[in-house]
Amino acid sequence: MLLKNIKDFTFNRRYMEDIKKQIEEIKLTLETWEHAYYVLDKPIVDDLVYDNKLKELKTLEEKYPEYITSDSPTQRVGGQVSEKFEKYNHKYPMLSLDNAFNQDDLYDFDKSIKKQLEKDNFSYFVEPKIDGLSISLIYEKGKFSKAVTRGNGLQGEDVTFNVKTIRSVPLRINDTSDYFEVRGEVFLSKKEFERINEERKLSNEDLFANPRNAAAGTIRQLNPTIVASRRLDVFLYYYLNRDKYTKHSESLSYISSLGFKVNDLGKHCKSIEDVIEHINYIENQRYNLQYEIDGAVVKVDEFKFYDKIGYTSKFPKWATAYKYPAEIKVTKLLNIFASVGRTGKITYNAILSPVSLAGTTVQAATLHNAEYIFNKKIKVGSNVKVKKAGDIIPEVLEVIEDELYNTLETYKKIEYCPACDSKLEIFNDEVDQYCINFNCERKIIKSLEHFVSRGAMNIDGMSIKIIEKLYANKIIKNVIDIYNFKKHKSKILELDNMGEKSFNNLLEAIEKSKTNDADKLLFGLGIRYVGSKTAKLLLERFKDVKNLLNATKEEIESIYEVGPKVAQSIIDWSSIQENVDLINELQIVGVNINFSKNQSNDNVNISKKSFVITGTLSKPRPYFVDLIESFGGKVISAISKKTDYLLAGEEAGSKLEKAKSLQVNIISEEDFFKMLEG
């Protein structure tokens, strides 16, 4: 009996050792694949292969939880939602950099260093200045331990769980030092920035002004799951354990060998002339890069000179940041026009003579409101300086007060709605003007367009042109009229381009929209500050629209991520009897006002299917990526035999030919939306 127990113990021990070894081997494989994909940008396996291997690891860890470690790829989004970020005192201060704005500043920087060293036997290292958020990563005995923001330089915030979601941050490294610290810049790629803003636009949320703001806002999100969805990235540029290496360039090679993402535009320079040449080279590449930069960083390469060159209380004297000037062009402001949105807000816009700016042709710019125009002294017909704010949004900087300018009339703000001619109002201390006419045609049309949009009630086929036509013919004047569509069949069939088939298709889409979950309806109502995500949060708590409209401000504010502005907006909306009547009428005609969200998109027939997207589609690529992923599908970059579908727009090119040769299913945009409807 004793011998049997010993044998059983030995077998179990060996079995568990084999399991542990298997888990470690899978982790190593996944780390290798992640490094190739997220750091080297050279994927070596298809997404499906990676997902299956990750699933295999999850299954083993669930069965043998004693082998789950913090450095496992399964633990990247394992943090809980936080109420706040803890403060952390930096072991070494995170100093900022002094700035240089022209070549003279760079020569002065060079002279200062030579004066300190009394010799010329030093060199420089030049690298792009990433427009993001400074971060410090700390590892203990080879394992990722902590991530901290710069803060005030002496004390930052612990954002470990958020940074852990960044795929290019290794969770373990082949350096088992007791303490290992490396610093860099968290950023958002231009592609991801566009994707996020497209998503926010569909959800009626405020857009991020530029990638830096988006990255900074994301890293301070209290929910790591939201951070993970934003797909942040990071470049590392400073290794603090300097005793191992004599030069900054050598230390970068070392941290790169450990799996950290290091920018490939960095270059060793022997003289200040070489520095200036490389700074100019980086600037010429600026608009071709997949990430935003706002300058270049110049550092003395040799570590041994750092202490002698010295520091100020704010920055090291051995480094400087050369700031690229924003590209500014002069063009003519041809006209100013005002438009009204669905909330009644008036936006002033400039029409510009076309000008090439930051890699794109700019023909228009927002002027925000009348106060902006007055403060800038903008006149129609004047020459103006234009730049892209954050290299994204066209902005009129200033007018050129030349001889022409003095002959032009001062612009006068409009006092009446450009659509309905109603007197405009300004609320409280706001500077924006509003049309408050409930019967304003343009407001109604824009509200109807929002109501039927994909993010809201998703009434397929009811375009803005059709809405305008139906409104002009007094068939649809408000939301409830959409659901009385059938009553006007004979009148509708008399309209241009509206035959029996078109009528039936629209009727079918309208009937189908009645079964939407209530968050789509709530978002479609266009209540100020209530985007699609907020609508879900609200109805997860109140279960149906009527319960929400009967709630108190305090009850609404008690919901996580719902603030006083949202709560007050809902109270204001529900205090209008016409709005309450609208909900009752919608319920009578059969529109669902209940929230059932245990719903899942897994039933849709694209769940777990892989897609490649190519060619020009009706909306930006991020729109389709988000849609596919929201229904459980995957978007991959390369065609293979295992690809389920190629979503092909116009001018599809080589991917279309490869899909044909591999007999991959090729679908159009129309086919794609039919699949979703299925």
Side-chain angles (χ1 to χ4, degrees):
M1 187 69 178
L2 179 61
L3 182 61
K4 182 178 183 300
N5 289 340
I6 292 172
K7 285 181 178 179
D8 287 345
F9 174 78
T10 303
F11 173 79
N12 287 334
R13 187 183 66 184
R14 287 177 179 172
Y15 176 75
M16 295 304 287
E17 285 175 352
D18 287 344
I19 292 295
K20 184 178 180 182
K21 183 179 179 182
Q22 184 182 356
I23 287 174
E24 286 301 316
E25 287 174 350
I26 295 174
K27 283 161 64 173
L28 185 60
T29 299
L30 289 169
E31 287 167 4
T32 302
W33 291 350
E34 284 186 344
H35 182 258
Y37 187 95
Y38 294 104
V39 178
L40 304 180
D41 198 23
K42 294 179 180 177
I44 52 181
V45 295
D46 188 87
D47 286 8
L48 191 59
V49 176
Y50 176 90
D51 290 342
N52 286 337
K53 184 62 72 173
L54 184 64
K55 185 177 180 181
E56 183 182 347
L57 177 61
K58 284 181 180 177
T59 302
L60 283 171
E61 288 181 341
E62 286 170 2
K63 192 172 182 180
Y64 305 100
E66 63 268 36
Y67 294 137
I68 298 175
T69 58
S70 62
D71 61 355
S72 172
T74 63
Q75 302 303 299
R76 282 199 179 272
V77 194
Q80 300 297 314
V81 174
S82 304
E83 292 184 3
K84 63 178 182 176
F85 294 110
E86 297 295 331
K87 299 296 183 183
Y88 179 86
N89 294 323
H90 293 294
K91 186 173 182 179
Y92 307 100
M94 283 187 77
L95 303 177
S96 56
L97 293 176
D98 196 10
N99 292 323
F101 297 97
N102 51 52
Q103 287 191 17
D104 288 342
D105 290 344
L106 291 172
Y107 279 115
D108 288 343
F109 170 69
D110 183 58
K111 287 176 186 176
S112 174
I113 291 172
K114 287 176 179 176
K115 184 178 179 180
Q116 290 290 333
L117 297 180
E118 300 177 348
K119 60 181 75 174
D120 290 350
N121 61 339
F122 67 93
S123 57
Y124 291 111
F125 193 85
V126 180
E127 53 202 314
K129 185 176 182 297
I130 310 301
D131 197 12
L133 182 78
S134 296
I135 202 76
S136 184
L137 308 181
I138 299 167
Y139 292 75
E140 296 175 357
K141 297 188 182 300
K143 291 188 177 182
F144 176 60
S145 170
K146 199 173 294 294
V148 188
T149 63
R150 171 184 284 156
N152 62 11
L154 299 175
Q155 186 182 71
E157 290 180 315
D158 185 339
V159 289
T160 304
F161 284 129
N162 286 352
V163 171
K164 200 172 186 179
T165 70
I166 302 174
R167 296 286 185 156
S168 49
V169 172
L171 298 181
R172 59 181 178 177
I173 57 175
N174 191 25
D175 184 320
T176 56
S177 304
D178 289 342
Y179 185 89
F180 175 105
E181 185 172 355
V182 62
R183 291 173 179 174
E185 202 83 1
V186 172
F187 67 95
L188 199 63
S189 71
K190 293 176 182 176
K191 174 184 172 184
E192 287 303 315
F193 173 74
E194 290 172 1
R195 180 186 69 82
I196 292 166
N197 259 357
E198 184 67 26
E199 179 183 288
R200 293 175 75 84
K201 184 177 180 182
L202 290 170
S203 300
N204 197 35
E205 296 177 89
D206 291 339
L207 302 186
F208 287 120
N210 53 57
R212 186 189 187 284
N213 286 358
T218 299
I219 210 67
R220 299 199 78 258
Q221 266 283 341
L222 293 173
N223 188 341
T225 304
I226 295 174
V227 180
S229 72
R230 299 269 177 89
R231 302 171 193 168
L232 293 169
D233 208 340
V234 63
F235 278 123
L236 283 307
Y237 53 68
Y238 187 42
Y239 175 49
L240 270 75
N241 302 48
R242 298 202 309 253
D243 53 324
K244 289 188 176 183
Y245 294 93
T246 60
K247 295 182 178 181
H248 173 66
S249 53
E250 293 173 351
S251 72
L252 291 183
S253 297
Y254 176 62
I255 65 173
S256 177
S257 73
L258 294 177
F260 293 102
K261 190 170 185 174
V262 175
N263 194 282
D264 59 4
L265 283 176
K267 184 181 179 182
H268 180 261
C269 297
K270 293 182 179 179
S271 67
I272 195 65
E273 287 76 21
D274 290 345
V275 165
I276 291 169
E277 182 180 345
H278 194 58
I279 284 174
N280 292 336
Y281 172 78
I282 294 173
E283 185 174 16
N284 289 335
Q285 300 298 312
R286 184 178 184 184
Y287 298 115
N288 298 322
L289 300 175
Q290 296 305 306
Y291 46 88
E292 295 289 342
I293 64 173
D294 59 357
V297 176
V298 183
K299 301 174 183 174
V300 170
D301 196 34
E302 292 80 7
F303 288 147
K304 65 182 179 181
F305 296 133
Y306 283 14
D307 289 339
K308 186 169 185 178
I309 297 169
Y311 303 79
T312 72
S313 61
K314 294 182 178 179
F315 51 80
K317 294 181 181 179
W318 42 262
T320 191
Y322 182 87
K323 302 299 286 287
Y324 292 134
E327 187 178 19
I328 297 173
K329 293 285 183 72
V330 175
T331 189
K332 192 170 187 177
L333 194 149
L334 302 175
N335 201 2
I336 295 174
F337 71 94
S339 58
V340 58
R342 61 181 176 82
T343 64
K345 180 180 173 179
I346 302 299
T347 300
Y348 289 80
N349 308 278
I351 298 176
L352 306 171
S353 183
V355 59
S356 178
L357 192 63
T360 60
T361 299
V362 172
Q363 300 181 71
T366 179
L367 297 173
H368 306 292
N369 50 56
E371 290 301 313
Y372 184 88
I373 296 172
F374 298 150
N375 291 338
K376 298 284 185 181
K377 300 180 181 179
I378 295 169
K379 296 180 181 181
V380 174
S382 61
N383 291 314
V384 294
K385 292 182 180 180
V386 184
K387 77 166 186 176
K388 278 194 172 182
D391 290 337
I392 299 297
I393 303 168
E395 177 183 353
V396 175
L397 282 179
E398 60 178 310
V399 297
I400 298 175
E401 297 188 30
D402 50 17
E403 291 182 11
L404 170 66
Y405 178 83
N406 294 327
T407 67
L408 301 172
E409 292 184 9
T410 300
Y411 183 79
K412 295 180 180 178
K413 72 177 178 181
I414 62 172
E415 296 182 8
Y416 298 91
C417 175
C420 69
D421 209 34
S422 298
K423 181 76 172 176
L424 297 176
E425 300 286 344
I426 296 177
F427 300 121
N428 302 323
D429 297 326
E430 296 186 31
V431 296
D432 290 308
Q433 297 168 281
Y434 284 86
C435 171
I436 59 171
N437 176 17
F438 284 107
N439 298 312
C440 174
E441 177 178 321
R442 201 65 203 162
K443 273 176 62 177
I444 294 170
I445 288 173
K446 295 298 286 184
S447 296
L448 291 170
E449 181 189 21
H450 173 71
F451 185 83
V452 304
S453 66
R454 290 196 192 281
M457 295 302 279
N458 192 20
I459 300 179
D460 191 33
M462 189 166 282
S463 65
I464 183 66
K465 289 184 178 179
I466 289 176
I467 291 171
E468 288 172 339
K469 190 180 295 185
L470 295 171
Y471 187 89
N473 285 275
K474 300 181 179 179
I475 296 168
I476 290 180
K477 303 182 294 298
N478 52 45
V479 165
I480 199 65
D481 286 340
I482 293 173
Y483 294 97
N484 291 322
F485 188 75
K486 189 176 181 179
K487 296 178 181 179
H488 304 284
K489 180 175 181 178
S490 58
K491 191 173 181 180
I492 292 170
L493 292 178
E494 293 174 1
L495 301 177
D496 292 339
N497 302 317
M498 187 60 74
E500 187 86 30
K501 184 177 179 181
S502 298
F503 175 85
N504 289 334
N505 287 341
L506 270 175
L507 185 61
E508 183 180 346
I510 290 167
E511 289 300 311
K512 184 180 176 183
S513 74
K514 292 179 179 180
T515 63
N516 288 340
D517 222 327
D519 61 306
K520 300 291 186 183
L521 171 62
L522 182 59
F523 173 53
L525 293 173
I527 302 172
R528 198 175 183 193
Y529 307 126
V530 178
S532 62
K533 290 181 182 176
T534 303
K536 288 179 184 176
L537 287 171
L538 290 164
L539 289 180
E540 280 172 356
R541 164 69 173 81
F542 291 105
K543 305 308 178 188
D544 74 43
V545 176
K546 284 188 174 180
N547 285 343
L548 170 63
L549 299 185
N550 288 324
T552 65
K553 186 170 184 253
E554 290 72 23
E555 288 173 328
I556 297 171
E557 277 188 56
S558 69
I559 302 172
Y560 178 71
E561 289 190 351
V562 174
K565 278 203 308 185
V566 174
Q568 188 59 54
S569 180
I570 293 167
I571 296 297
D572 291 344
W573 194 90
S574 59
S575 67
I576 298 171
Q577 188 58 44
E578 289 91 335
N579 293 335
V580 177
D581 293 342
L582 172 63
I583 299 301
N584 291 329
E585 289 172 5
L586 287 170
Q587 190 175 21
I588 289 169
V589 298
V591 175
N592 176 47
I593 67 165
N594 298 310
F595 187 76
S596 63
K597 275 279 197 273
N598 287 322
Q599 70 178 31
S600 168
N601 290 326
D602 290 345
N603 293 327
V604 177
N605 63 354
I606 70 168
S607 177
K608 300 180 182 177
K609 301 294 184 183
S610 60
F611 288 74
V612 171
I613 302 173
T614 188
T616 303
L617 298 164
S618 66
K619 290 184 179 290
R621 187 177 183 274
Y623 171 85
F624 292 94
V625 173
D626 289 348
L627 206 51
I628 290 167
E629 291 178 348
S630 72
F631 282 97
K634 277 277 184 184
V635 177
I636 56 179
S637 58
I639 293 275
S640 73
K641 288 183 178 180
K642 294 183 179 180
T643 305
D644 293 302
Y645 297 100
L646 175 72
L647 173 54
E650 296 178 8
E651 301 177 356
S654 59
K655 287 184 178 178
L656 179 61
E657 297 306 316
K658 187 171 182 180
K660 289 177 181 176
S661 68
L662 295 175
Q663 297 184 321
V664 171
N665 292 313
I666 300 167
I667 58 171
S668 66
E669 187 175 333
E670 184 180 358
D671 297 330
F672 172 73
F673 283 115
K674 285 181 179 177
M675 290 172 69
L676 295 190
E677 290 167 4

